[in-house]
């Protein structure tokens, strides 16, 4: 569903690559956990997959569509929850969701139905008539999640999606992630909450200093039930570690 081939990215004035020759394939029907310390290239990778940034070299495909050659079609398959809440705060919540749905050409009656279902699921119904500027951190996060799912995209790219969510909403989102993957779609999930990644993901990739260190199922990566993902992550990403080899 997602394929990156020899992808690299260097920011202006930087002497090192933010992402260095990254090759990665995310399968249909899986929740893929993407881990890395701050500055490892995690956010840069996500921004390139979603088309926010263009790679300096390499190719990115979404469901077989080359992102550089057909960006609009590729992006139409993606629902993206960023790690911030950059939205139109002068709009009401319902106006924002209607705007997003219209941008993705969701039929009016279907859009209304999905907004109602997701708003009820995430306890946001009463807040939708209010200005987004009045929303709490958690309410804005719920709005971003609903906006990402409203057109039922094949690919969910979730960057720290659980931040600010109450336990019930976090549970609902994890349930939706599993259902989405079980229906043959893909969830690309990035989080600093390693325990959650360990519980919900089918495979895990760890990036460090711009390079992909390891990709595998959790069981194959640790090869020892006594080793937690947290300790493994710290070992792999520590300075001078040769653990991935």
């Amino acid at each position: 569903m997602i394929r990156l081939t020899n992808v690299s990215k260097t920011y202006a004035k930087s002497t090192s690559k933010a992402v260095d020759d990254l090759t990665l394939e995310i399968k249909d029907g899986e929740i893929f956990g993407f881990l890395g310390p701050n500055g490892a290239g995690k956010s840069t990778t996500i921004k390139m997959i979603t088309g926010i940034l263009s790679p300096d070299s390499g190719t990115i495909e979404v469901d077989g569509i080359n992102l550089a050659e057909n960006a609009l079609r590729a992006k139409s398959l993606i629902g993206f929850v960023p790690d911030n809440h950059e939205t139109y705060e002068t709009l009401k919540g319902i106006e924002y969701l209607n705007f997003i749905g219209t941008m993705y050409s969701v039929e009016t009656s279907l859009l209304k139905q999905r907004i109602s279902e997701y708003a009820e699921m995430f306890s946001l119904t009463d807040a939708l008539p209010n200005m987004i500027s009045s929303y709490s951190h958690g309410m804005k996060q719920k709005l971003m999640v609903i906006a990402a799912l409203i057109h039922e995209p094949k690919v969910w790219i979730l960057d720290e999606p659980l931040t600010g969510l109450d336990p019930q909403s976090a549970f609902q989102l994890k349930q939706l992630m599993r259902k989405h993957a079980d229906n043959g779609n893909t969830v690309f999930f990035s989080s600093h909450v390693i325990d959650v990644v360990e519980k919900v993901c089918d495979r895990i990739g760890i990036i460090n200093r711009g390079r992909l260190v390891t990709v595998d199922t959790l069981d194959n990566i640790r090869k020892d039930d006594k080793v937690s993902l947290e300790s493994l992550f710290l070992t792999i990403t520590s300075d001078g570690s040769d653990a991935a080899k």
Side-chain angles (χ1 to χ4, degrees):
M1 189 66 79
I2 304 173
R3 181 181 288 114
L4 295 87
T5 306
N6 304 123
V7 171
S8 295
K9 180 67 179 181
T10 303
Y11 290 105
K13 300 181 180 179
S14 176
T15 57
S16 60
K17 294 181 179 181
V19 173
D20 187 2
D21 197 32
L22 176 61
T23 295
L24 175 64
E25 184 173 319
I26 315 301
K27 303 173 184 178
D28 297 2
E30 74 172 348
I31 302 176
F32 184 86
F34 196 50
L35 296 173
N38 291 335
K42 197 163 72 276
S43 293
T44 300
T45 300
I46 290 171
K47 289 178 179 178
M48 287 192 290
I49 295 173
T50 55
I52 296 171
L53 292 176
S54 298
D56 297 332
S57 59
T59 59
I60 299 173
E61 295 173 272
V62 179
D63 198 21
I65 301 167
N66 189 303
L67 185 60
E69 296 175 355
N70 200 337
L72 286 179
R73 186 179 173 196
K75 290 178 183 180
S76 71
L77 302 175
I78 296 173
F80 177 41
V81 177
D83 62 351
N84 55 46
H85 301 121
E86 294 182 358
T87 184
Y88 300 105
E89 298 212 346
T90 56
L91 292 179
K92 298 175 182 178
I94 187 65
E95 292 174 334
Y96 179 71
L97 293 179
N98 281 325
F99 167 69
I100 295 296
T102 301
M103 290 289 290
Y104 283 99
S105 302
V106 181
E107 195 271 326
T108 303
S109 62
L110 191 57
L111 176 60
K112 183 178 180 180
Q113 175 187 331
R114 290 176 184 170
I115 289 175
S116 176
E117 290 175 354
Y118 283 128
E120 182 177 356
M121 181 182 298
F122 291 105
S123 303
L124 201 64
T125 303
D126 292 342
L128 288 184
N130 302 333
M131 301 290 287
I132 298 174
S133 58
S134 70
Y135 284 18
S136 67
H137 176 92
M139 292 165 67
K140 289 178 181 177
Q141 185 71 0
K142 292 178 183 180
L143 188 71
M144 297 298 289
V145 169
I146 295 172
L149 309 186
I150 209 73
H151 62 295
E152 295 194 345
K154 286 186 176 183
V155 178
W156 293 1
I157 298 180
L158 312 178
D159 192 2
E160 301 290 348
L162 303 179
T163 303
L165 294 185
D166 57 83
Q168 179 62 27
S169 295
F171 174 79
Q172 292 283 9
L173 180 56
K174 286 183 283 186
Q175 292 289 99
L176 286 173
M177 290 164 61
R178 184 71 269 162
K179 181 179 179 182
H180 190 66
D182 288 346
N183 286 336
N185 302 298
T186 298
V187 179
F188 187 97
F189 175 56
S190 175
S191 176
H192 284 108
V193 186
I194 295 178
D195 288 347
V196 175
V197 174
E198 189 169 10
K199 290 176 181 177
V200 305
C201 294
D202 301 308
R203 285 196 305 147
I204 295 165
I206 299 177
I207 188 172
N208 191 36
R209 298 177 180 175
R211 298 189 67 88
L212 195 62
V213 180
T214 190
V215 180
D216 210 332
T217 63
L218 178 60
D219 288 341
N220 285 342
I221 289 175
R222 63 188 183 190
K223 297 178 182 177
D224 184 347
D225 290 338
K226 296 179 181 179
V227 178
S228 69
L229 178 59
E230 181 178 32
S231 62
L232 177 69
F233 172 78
L234 293 174
T235 299
I236 287 178
T237 58
S238 62
D239 289 342
S241 171
D242 214 27
K245 300 180 182 178

